Structure formats: structure tokens, C-alpha cells
Amino acid sequence: TITRNPRPFMYQLQQETASISDSDEKMAELILTPHEELEKSYDSVRLDDKESVWSAGGSSCGSAVSVAHGSSIASLGTDTGGSVRLPAAWCGVVGLKPSYGLLSRHGVVSYASSLDTVGILTPSINCATMVLDCLAQRSSDNRESRDSTASFYEPSTKLSCMVEDKQSPNTLNGVTVGIPAAFSVAECPKPILEAWSRGAEVLEKHGAEIKTISTASITPEIVQHSLAAYYVLASAEASSNLSRYDGLRYGIDADLNAKCDGSFDEDDESLSDMTPLEKRYSATRASGFGKEVIRRILSGTSVLSSDRFHTHYEAAAKLRALLTRQLHSALKNDVDSILIPSALSFPCPLHEKSVDSTEMFANDVMTVPVSLAGLPAVSIPFSVNQNTGRRESVAGLQIVGPRLGEDIILKIAKVIEQDTETH
């Protein structure tokens, strides 16, 4: 399922594949929706039994659900801090976040430009590999099609050929997979820890060398603080990117909406010093943005203010640089890839009103560090203890690779997928 901006992705897929389903999926408002609003946004996920209505994950959950449901064999989403990988884990499908900048962001509404990445959701690794082959721009492609939001990469061989090694289809000899101690957090439930351990055993059985990455190489404090740094940086970029919704260039008709919901009061004393143009801006944004979007914009504006820029934004940028150096160094000098869980929890009931929003945000600690570093990652479903409930029968395992190392992470994921299918 491809959204309604035809170039470059829809055009490329039409040239290289048989058919395209041009349809819209359910999604959160500007990829931001708190748990209490999920039930309103994700109507397409509902089942007859209300007790079986589970959250489908992050903002690209509509794409994940369409693949899990079988209504599409490939769907696109955007991954800023895990919005493709978390839905993939909770819906039991494959979710691929390529290296930052590998795929064009043409047609994507900007949220956090330094993090936004077009991701791919499919039922299998082969499917994900073929879609990525179609969409990635190679150096040999026509230079006139160059997009400023995407980079060219060098491999002359298609990824599908590199992943499908005919001579050794299930062998990972010579591949070193790292298990970072810094990601072994106390909040991770036992079934997910066990799935993580069994995933490492599967890779070792197929020839991979499993190596623990010490806390000296990737420090736990940096990983834990990366979540705070992400929200500072993402909110700051969101406040800048969403400033274009002013009712003139983009946005709704403020007057019409003010009459409908009464969300904007022209007699408000706080607006008395505003010019008519400023009042129009204020009316448009107050009427058009939801609570979570307004919260992010206000947070971003705050951290960019003169008295908080150095203590918040600059500090977050420095932590991001340090985290990036640690991950890149580990993948260059110690291991070929990293294996971690995709999420710290299983899907939660949509009708559950007592869900701790802080606990929901903590889920991102497994996905955000990878996004901050701009590395490729793929989430693949992996079965957990069969004695658990239906919603806890599948967890997501995430394979992370070096920049432009999509070939190695897809090959490793393929081995896990085939081993799971045979057992």
C-alpha cells in the first residue's frame, strides 16, 4: 500500500512490480497520538470482542495492520524514533528502517528532519528486500533523478541476490553478532529476555559468533539518556517544521473551525495585543492541532529559547553525537551487527485507560538510539513462551547494522525467519 504522493516511490514500484494498491491507512495526527486517543484513531484494528482490541503500536500502525491483515504485501511508513519497528513487533510482521537518507523523503510531511526515515513493512524478509531494491537510488541511476533528501549507495548487486546466498543459504560463518549489555534494562519482561536469548542461540547455531558488547563500549547511561535527548531534539525540530501550518500556506480555515468547536475565542484578553494576522495564526493552530501536537510544539519552542538552548538542546545534540560515536565504533571494530529486542512490552488493550504514558514512552529506549545514530535496523517477529496469552505469543527482535549495511542485517534476519518457520 503506497500513499498518494506518486513520485518517486509509486513510480519506481510501478516500473518494477506488477500492481500497486493506492489506498490510505489509519495513522496518528502528524505521527503523534497519546494512548488515550488510540482507540479513536485506529478504528481499522477493532475486533468483535472488545477484550481483544489491542494497540497496534506507533504512528505507522495502519501500514503494519494492513500487512498483518493480508490486505497488502508491502506498506510504507515513517520511522522517526521507532514508528515502523514498534508496530512491526506488535503486529507480528517485518519492519525495516533503512539507513538515514538511503530512501528519499519526497512527499513525507516533516516532523523531525534529522531523524525521519521512510520504512518498509512486509510479511517476510524477501518482500522487504525486494521493495528496498526498488526504492533505493544506486550510484548508477540517472543523476537527473537525484533527490536532496536521499543518498546514492554503491552496491552493484541487488540486495535480494546478496541476502539469498545460493551456496550457503543459512550460514552465518564469519559474522559476529553483538549483544550490548547497555540494552539489558530492568524494565524488560522475562518473556522478551528469553526470546532475546533464544534468538542469539539461533544465530550461533547457524555459524554466527555471539559477542557481548561491554558497558565500556556502549555505556548504559548514554543509552538511558538518549530517550530524553530524542524528545528534546525531535520536539525542537517539530516546532520549526510545523510552523508552516499558519492558515495561509498550509493548514485549515480557522474561522470555519472556530465556529464548529469553539476552540478559539477572539475575546480572550491574552490576544488583545495581537495583530489581525497573529490572531489568524493563533486561531489556525489552536483549532487545527491536537493536544499532543501542541505539547510537542510548546516543548520544542521552550528548548530552543535563549535561556534553555545551551542547557537542553545543545546538551541533547552532544549526547547524540557521543551515542553515535559509540554505536559506530562498536559496529566497526567489535561486531558486524547488534541484536536487541524491538520493544520492552507487549501490545496493551486500547480500552485500558490506566496505562502509564511514561511507561509507553519508555518502550522507545530500544529503538531511539538506533534512530539517533542513523543506522539501519530490521524488526522480525520471534515466538515467545507458548504458555503466555495470545497477545504475548510473538515478540520483535531487532537486528542493527552499520550505515548502509542493509545487506548484513537482512541476511541475519533471513536466517532467524527460516529457523522460526521450520520449528
Side-chain angles (χ1 to χ4, degrees):
T1 301
I2 310 299
T3 51
R4 292 185 183 277
N5 195 303
R7 297 186 66 90
F9 291 151
M10 196 168 187
Y11 174 79
Q12 288 175 252
L13 289 173
Q14 283 175 327
Q15 296 301 305
E16 301 191 38
T17 58
S19 63
I20 294 293
S21 170
D22 181 14
S23 63
D24 297 320
E25 308 294 357
K26 292 285 183 179
M27 63 174 289
E29 177 197 9
L30 293 170
I31 73 169
L32 306 169
T33 295
H35 174 79
E36 58 269 19
E37 296 294 325
L38 290 175
E39 192 167 2
K40 301 175 185 176
S41 300
Y42 305 153
D43 289 337
S44 60
V45 196
R46 293 173 181 248
L47 302 176
D48 293 335
D49 179 9
K50 190 175 181 180
E51 295 301 316
S52 300
V53 182
W54 307 104
S55 169
S59 61
S60 295
C61 66
S63 299
V65 168
S66 73
V67 173
H69 177 261
S71 55
S72 62
I73 60 170
S75 192
L76 299 182
T78 53
D79 191 307
T80 304
S83 301
V84 163
R85 288 162 287 161
L86 178 59
W90 281 8
C91 293
V93 298
V94 171
L96 171 63
K97 184 201 93 70
S99 303
Y100 175 77
L102 178 60
L103 298 186
S104 166
R105 298 197 307 277
H106 179 80
V108 174
V109 176
S110 296
Y111 166 47
S113 301
S114 71
L115 296 162
D116 291 341
T117 305
V118 174
I120 300 165
L121 293 125
T122 61
S124 69
I125 291 297
N126 281 347
C127 243
T129 305
M130 287 188 288
V131 173
L132 183 61
D133 263 331
C134 291
L135 301 184
Q137 300 182 67
R138 287 182 172 75
S139 299
S140 57
D141 291 345
N142 187 352
R143 290 286 176 174
E144 293 180 359
S145 65
R146 186 180 181 90
D147 188 327
S148 62
T149 66
S151 58
F152 288 97
Y153 74 115
E154 295 301 329
S156 57
T157 306
K158 282 185 173 288
L159 285 169
S160 52
C161 298
M162 299 168 74
V163 173
E164 284 288 336
D165 189 342
K166 302 297 183 182
Q167 296 180 348
S168 53
N170 296 320
T171 300
L172 294 175
N173 292 332
V175 175
T176 305
V177 178
I179 307 295
F183 283 82
S184 183
V185 296
E187 294 80 3
C188 190
K190 185 177 179 181
I192 292 179
L193 281 174
E194 291 176 349
W196 188 9
S197 177
R198 287 192 295 111
E201 291 173 1
V202 168
L203 297 179
E204 190 171 32
K205 180 178 70 175
H206 287 277
E209 178 188 352
I210 304 300
K211 180 178 180 180
T212 300
I213 302 176
S214 69
T215 54
S217 299
I218 302 177
T219 56
E221 294 79 13
I222 294 297
V223 171
Q224 293 166 13
H225 292 155
S226 67
L227 202 54
Y230 165 78
Y231 282 109
V232 168
L233 296 171
S235 296
E237 293 187 35
S239 70
S240 175
N241 280 323
L242 299 182
S243 65
R244 71 192 67 183
Y245 293 91
D246 53 15
L248 299 177
R249 295 169 294 175
Y250 301 93
I252 61 171
D253 186 327
D255 296 333
L256 177 63
N257 282 271
K259 291 176 183 176
C260 292
D261 57 24
S263 59
F264 179 72
D265 183 7
E266 288 191 2
D267 297 326
D268 190 335
E269 292 184 2
S270 64
L271 307 176
S272 58
D273 295 332
M274 287 188 180
T275 65
L277 182 60
E278 289 172 335
K279 287 184 178 180
R280 182 180 179 86
Y281 288 162
S282 183
T284 296
R285 296 167 74 79
S287 302
F289 287 144
K291 292 181 180 179
E292 183 64 22
V293 176
I294 291 175
R295 187 180 297 123
R296 300 287 179 98
I297 291 174
L298 292 176
S299 298
T301 303
S302 174
V303 300
L304 289 175
S305 62
S306 58
D307 57 336
R308 290 186 175 90
F309 180 83
H310 296 292
T311 57
H312 289 66
Y313 183 83
E314 200 171 79
K318 289 179 179 178
L319 188 141
R320 179 184 189 178
L322 179 57
L323 172 68
T324 300
R325 282 199 299 270
Q326 290 187 354
L327 288 173
H328 279 257
S329 176
L331 287 164
K332 180 180 179 180
N333 302 319
D334 301 328
V335 297
D336 299 306
S337 66
I338 293 172
L339 179 70
I340 54 177
S342 300
L344 291 178
S345 67
F346 294 100
C348 55
L350 282 184
H351 64 275
E352 181 63 58
K353 303 300 181 184
S354 60
V355 174
D356 185 352
S357 58
T358 304
E359 181 181 336
M360 296 297 293
F361 283 134
N363 246 327
D364 296 338
V365 76
M366 290 295 171
T367 55
V368 158
V370 179
S371 294
L372 289 174
L375 299 174
V378 59
S379 175
I380 183 168
F382 192 82
S383 62
V384 300
N385 190 334
Q386 295 301 312
N387 295 326
T388 57
R390 187 176 74 171
R391 75 184 179 98
E392 299 178 353
S393 61
V394 177
L397 290 183
Q398 188 180 184
I399 302 108
V400 184
R403 175 164 170 75
L404 299 179
E406 280 76 8
D407 55 338
I408 184 66
I409 65 171
L410 289 169
K411 183 173 182 178
I412 293 171
K414 178 70 174 177
V415 169
I416 293 178
E417 180 183 70
Q418 290 183 336
D419 187 272
T420 303
E421 289 174 350
T422 57
H423 290 80

